[in-house]
PDB file of all heavy atoms in Angstrom:
ATOM      1  N   LEU A  15     -10.003   3.032   3.975  1.00 85.00           N
ATOM      2  CA  LEU A  15     -10.922   2.153   3.268  1.00 85.00           C
ATOM      3  C   LEU A  15     -11.202   2.647   1.858  1.00 85.00           C
ATOM      4  O   LEU A  15     -11.236   1.820   0.919  1.00 85.00           O
ATOM      5  CB  LEU A  15     -12.222   1.977   4.091  1.00 85.00           C
ATOM      6  CG  LEU A  15     -12.096   1.083   5.270  1.00 85.00           C
ATOM      7  CD1 LEU A  15     -13.397   1.060   6.045  1.00 85.00           C
ATOM      8  CD2 LEU A  15     -11.725  -0.322   4.798  1.00 85.00           C
ATOM      9  N   PRO A  16     -11.432   3.912   1.615  1.00 88.00           N
ATOM     10  CA  PRO A  16     -11.686   4.329   0.192  1.00 88.00           C
ATOM     11  C   PRO A  16     -10.486   3.974  -0.717  1.00 88.00           C
ATOM     12  O   PRO A  16     -10.687   3.595  -1.907  1.00 88.00           O
ATOM     13  CB  PRO A  16     -11.917   5.836   0.275  1.00 88.00           C
ATOM     14  CG  PRO A  16     -12.369   6.059   1.643  1.00 88.00           C
ATOM     15  CD  PRO A  16     -11.628   5.012   2.523  1.00 88.00           C
ATOM     16  N   TRP A  17      -9.233   4.110  -0.244  1.00 88.00           N
ATOM     17  CA  TRP A  17      -8.115   3.828  -1.020  1.00 88.00           C
ATOM     18  C   TRP A  17      -8.031   2.291  -1.294  1.00 88.00           C
ATOM     19  O   TRP A  17      -7.630   1.903  -2.425  1.00 88.00           O
ATOM     20  CB  TRP A  17      -6.794   4.279  -0.342  1.00 88.00           C
ATOM     21  CG  TRP A  17      -6.745   5.775  -0.301  1.00 88.00           C
ATOM     22  CD1 TRP A  17      -6.904   6.543   0.811  1.00 88.00           C
ATOM     23  CD2 TRP A  17      -6.560   6.687  -1.351  1.00 88.00           C
ATOM     24  NE1 TRP A  17      -6.847   7.851   0.497  1.00 88.00           N
ATOM     25  CE2 TRP A  17      -6.554   7.955  -0.832  1.00 88.00           C
ATOM     26  CE3 TRP A  17      -6.286   6.454  -2.715  1.00 88.00           C
ATOM     27  CZ2 TRP A  17      -6.309   9.093  -1.645  1.00 88.00           C
ATOM     28  CZ3 TRP A  17      -6.131   7.633  -3.544  1.00 88.00           C
ATOM     29  CH2 TRP A  17      -6.205   8.863  -2.961  1.00 88.00           C
ATOM     30  N   ILE A  18      -8.372   1.511  -0.314  1.00 88.00           N
ATOM     31  CA  ILE A  18      -8.307   0.018  -0.540  1.00 88.00           C
ATOM     32  C   ILE A  18      -9.423  -0.337  -1.539  1.00 88.00           C
ATOM     33  O   ILE A  18      -9.134  -1.182  -2.436  1.00 88.00           O
ATOM     34  CB  ILE A  18      -8.537  -0.695   0.838  1.00 88.00           C
ATOM     35  CG1 ILE A  18      -7.429  -0.343   1.831  1.00 88.00           C
ATOM     36  CG2 ILE A  18      -8.659  -2.155   0.594  1.00 88.00           C
ATOM     37  CD1 ILE A  18      -6.046  -0.745   1.346  1.00 88.00           C
ATOM     38  N   ARG A  19     -10.555   0.271  -1.434  1.00 89.00           N
ATOM     39  CA  ARG A  19     -11.640  -0.108  -2.434  1.00 89.00           C
ATOM     40  C   ARG A  19     -11.242   0.345  -3.813  1.00 89.00           C
ATOM     41  O   ARG A  19     -11.463  -0.399  -4.793  1.00 89.00           O
ATOM     42  CB  ARG A  19     -12.943   0.668  -2.030  1.00 89.00           C
ATOM     43  CG  ARG A  19     -13.564   0.066  -0.810  1.00 89.00           C
ATOM     44  CD  ARG A  19     -14.899   0.732  -0.494  1.00 89.00           C
ATOM     45  NE  ARG A  19     -15.568   0.112   0.689  1.00 89.00           N
ATOM     46  CZ  ARG A  19     -15.680   0.720   1.849  1.00 89.00           C
ATOM     47  NH1 ARG A  19     -15.296   1.991   1.973  1.00 89.00           N
ATOM     48  NH2 ARG A  19     -16.226   0.165   2.877  1.00 89.00           N
ATOM     49  N   LEU A  20     -10.595   1.538  -3.948  1.00 93.00           N
ATOM     50  CA  LEU A  20     -10.081   1.939  -5.288  1.00 93.00           C
ATOM     51  C   LEU A  20      -9.048   0.999  -5.826  1.00 93.00           C
ATOM     52  O   LEU A  20      -9.109   0.622  -6.997  1.00 93.00           O
ATOM     53  CB  LEU A  20      -9.531   3.350  -5.170  1.00 93.00           C
ATOM     54  CG  LEU A  20      -8.932   3.941  -6.481  1.00 93.00           C
ATOM     55  CD1 LEU A  20      -9.971   4.003  -7.559  1.00 93.00           C
ATOM     56  CD2 LEU A  20      -8.317   5.279  -6.199  1.00 93.00           C
ATOM     57  N   LEU A  21      -8.121   0.574  -4.979  1.00 92.00           N
ATOM     58  CA  LEU A  21      -7.097  -0.354  -5.414  1.00 92.00           C
ATOM     59  C   LEU A  21      -7.667  -1.646  -5.803  1.00 92.00           C
ATOM     60  O   LEU A  21      -7.305  -2.211  -6.910  1.00 92.00           O
ATOM     61  CB  LEU A  21      -6.094  -0.618  -4.234  1.00 92.00           C
ATOM     62  CG  LEU A  21      -5.013  -1.536  -4.522  1.00 92.00           C
ATOM     63  CD1 LEU A  21      -4.133  -1.119  -5.702  1.00 92.00           C
ATOM     64  CD2 LEU A  21      -4.189  -1.771  -3.295  1.00 92.00           C
ATOM     65  N   VAL A  22      -8.659  -2.199  -5.078  1.00 91.00           N
ATOM     66  CA  VAL A  22      -9.274  -3.486  -5.500  1.00 91.00           C
ATOM     67  C   VAL A  22     -10.012  -3.305  -6.793  1.00 91.00           C
ATOM     68  O   VAL A  22     -10.009  -4.179  -7.629  1.00 91.00           O
ATOM     69  CB  VAL A  22     -10.202  -3.963  -4.383  1.00 91.00           C
ATOM     70  CG1 VAL A  22     -11.067  -5.133  -4.815  1.00 91.00           C
ATOM     71  CG2 VAL A  22      -9.394  -4.395  -3.151  1.00 91.00           C
ATOM     72  N   THR A  23     -10.692  -2.156  -6.950  1.00 94.00           N
ATOM     73  CA  THR A  23     -11.418  -1.898  -8.270  1.00 94.00           C
ATOM     74  C   THR A  23     -10.429  -1.869  -9.446  1.00 94.00           C
ATOM     75  O   THR A  23     -10.650  -2.512 -10.455  1.00 94.00           O
ATOM     76  CB  THR A  23     -12.114  -0.586  -8.207  1.00 94.00           C
ATOM     77  OG1 THR A  23     -13.018  -0.650  -7.055  1.00 94.00           O
ATOM     78  CG2 THR A  23     -12.887  -0.268  -9.460  1.00 94.00           C
ATOM     79  N   LEU A  24      -9.292  -1.271  -9.225  1.00 94.00           N
ATOM     80  CA  LEU A  24      -8.261  -1.176 -10.298  1.00 94.00           C
ATOM     81  C   LEU A  24      -7.713  -2.589 -10.578  1.00 94.00           C
ATOM     82  O   LEU A  24      -7.518  -2.978 -11.772  1.00 94.00           O
ATOM     83  CB  LEU A  24      -7.133  -0.236  -9.902  1.00 94.00           C
ATOM     84  CG  LEU A  24      -7.495   1.217  -9.922  1.00 94.00           C
ATOM     85  CD1 LEU A  24      -6.396   2.038  -9.370  1.00 94.00           C
ATOM     86  CD2 LEU A  24      -7.855   1.674 -11.318  1.00 94.00           C
ATOM     87  N   LEU A  25      -7.428  -3.362  -9.543  1.00 93.00           N
ATOM     88  CA  LEU A  25      -6.855  -4.729  -9.771  1.00 93.00           C
ATOM     89  C   LEU A  25      -7.845  -5.628 -10.348  1.00 93.00           C
ATOM     90  O   LEU A  25      -7.449  -6.646 -10.958  1.00 93.00           O
ATOM     91  CB  LEU A  25      -6.326  -5.222  -8.367  1.00 93.00           C
ATOM     92  CG  LEU A  25      -5.119  -4.476  -7.838  1.00 93.00           C
ATOM     93  CD1 LEU A  25      -4.805  -4.990  -6.415  1.00 93.00           C
ATOM     94  CD2 LEU A  25      -3.934  -4.612  -8.743  1.00 93.00           C
ATOM     95  N   ARG A  26      -9.162  -5.415 -10.294  1.00 95.00           N
ATOM     96  CA  ARG A  26     -10.179  -6.201 -10.846  1.00 95.00           C
ATOM     97  C   ARG A  26     -10.677  -5.756 -12.143  1.00 95.00           C
ATOM     98  O   ARG A  26     -11.595  -6.340 -12.749  1.00 95.00           O
ATOM     99  CB  ARG A  26     -11.326  -6.356  -9.884  1.00 95.00           C
ATOM    100  CG  ARG A  26     -11.068  -7.139  -8.628  1.00 95.00           C
ATOM    101  CD  ARG A  26     -12.303  -7.280  -7.822  1.00 95.00           C
ATOM    102  NE  ARG A  26     -12.087  -8.081  -6.650  1.00 95.00           N
ATOM    103  CZ  ARG A  26     -12.958  -8.203  -5.632  1.00 95.00           C
ATOM    104  NH1 ARG A  26     -14.080  -7.499  -5.666  1.00 95.00           N
ATOM    105  NH2 ARG A  26     -12.674  -8.985  -4.595  1.00 95.00           N
ATOM    106  N   HIS A  27     -10.074  -4.699 -12.682  1.00 96.00           N
ATOM    107  CA  HIS A  27     -10.562  -4.063 -13.970  1.00 96.00           C
ATOM    108  C   HIS A  27     -10.437  -5.103 -15.053  1.00 96.00           C
ATOM    109  O   HIS A  27      -9.537  -5.864 -15.180  1.00 96.00           O
ATOM    110  CB  HIS A  27      -9.770  -2.866 -14.241  1.00 96.00           C
ATOM    111  CG  HIS A  27     -10.357  -1.977 -15.258  1.00 96.00           C
ATOM    112  ND1 HIS A  27     -10.278  -2.205 -16.582  1.00 96.00           N
ATOM    113  CD2 HIS A  27     -11.105  -0.801 -15.099  1.00 96.00           C
ATOM    114  CE1 HIS A  27     -10.921  -1.217 -17.232  1.00 96.00           C
ATOM    115  NE2 HIS A  27     -11.403  -0.419 -16.353  1.00 96.00           N
ATOM    116  N   PRO A  28     -11.462  -5.094 -15.982  1.00 96.00           N
ATOM    117  CA  PRO A  28     -11.462  -6.103 -17.091  1.00 96.00           C
ATOM    118  C   PRO A  28     -10.356  -5.854 -18.093  1.00 96.00           C
ATOM    119  O   PRO A  28      -9.956  -6.820 -18.756  1.00 96.00           O
ATOM    120  CB  PRO A  28     -12.853  -5.983 -17.728  1.00 96.00           C
ATOM    121  CG  PRO A  28     -13.387  -4.647 -17.236  1.00 96.00           C
ATOM    122  CD  PRO A  28     -12.716  -4.336 -15.930  1.00 96.00           C
ATOM    123  N   ASP A  29      -9.950  -4.619 -18.284  1.00 96.00           N
ATOM    124  CA  ASP A  29      -8.872  -4.328 -19.180  1.00 96.00           C
ATOM    125  C   ASP A  29      -7.511  -4.724 -18.505  1.00 96.00           C
ATOM    126  O   ASP A  29      -7.159  -4.239 -17.527  1.00 96.00           O
ATOM    127  CB  ASP A  29      -8.811  -2.847 -19.498  1.00 96.00           C
ATOM    128  CG  ASP A  29      -7.680  -2.470 -20.523  1.00 96.00           C
ATOM    129  OD1 ASP A  29      -6.900  -3.285 -20.909  1.00 96.00           O
ATOM    130  OD2 ASP A  29      -7.653  -1.278 -20.917  1.00 96.00           O
TER     131      ASP A  29
END
Side-chain angles (χ1 to χ4, degrees):
L15 285 175
W17 293 107
I18 299 300
R19 288 186 180 111
L20 176 62
L21 178 60
V22 170
T23 301
L24 290 172
L25 292 173
R26 290 182 177 172
H27 197 279
D29 181 355

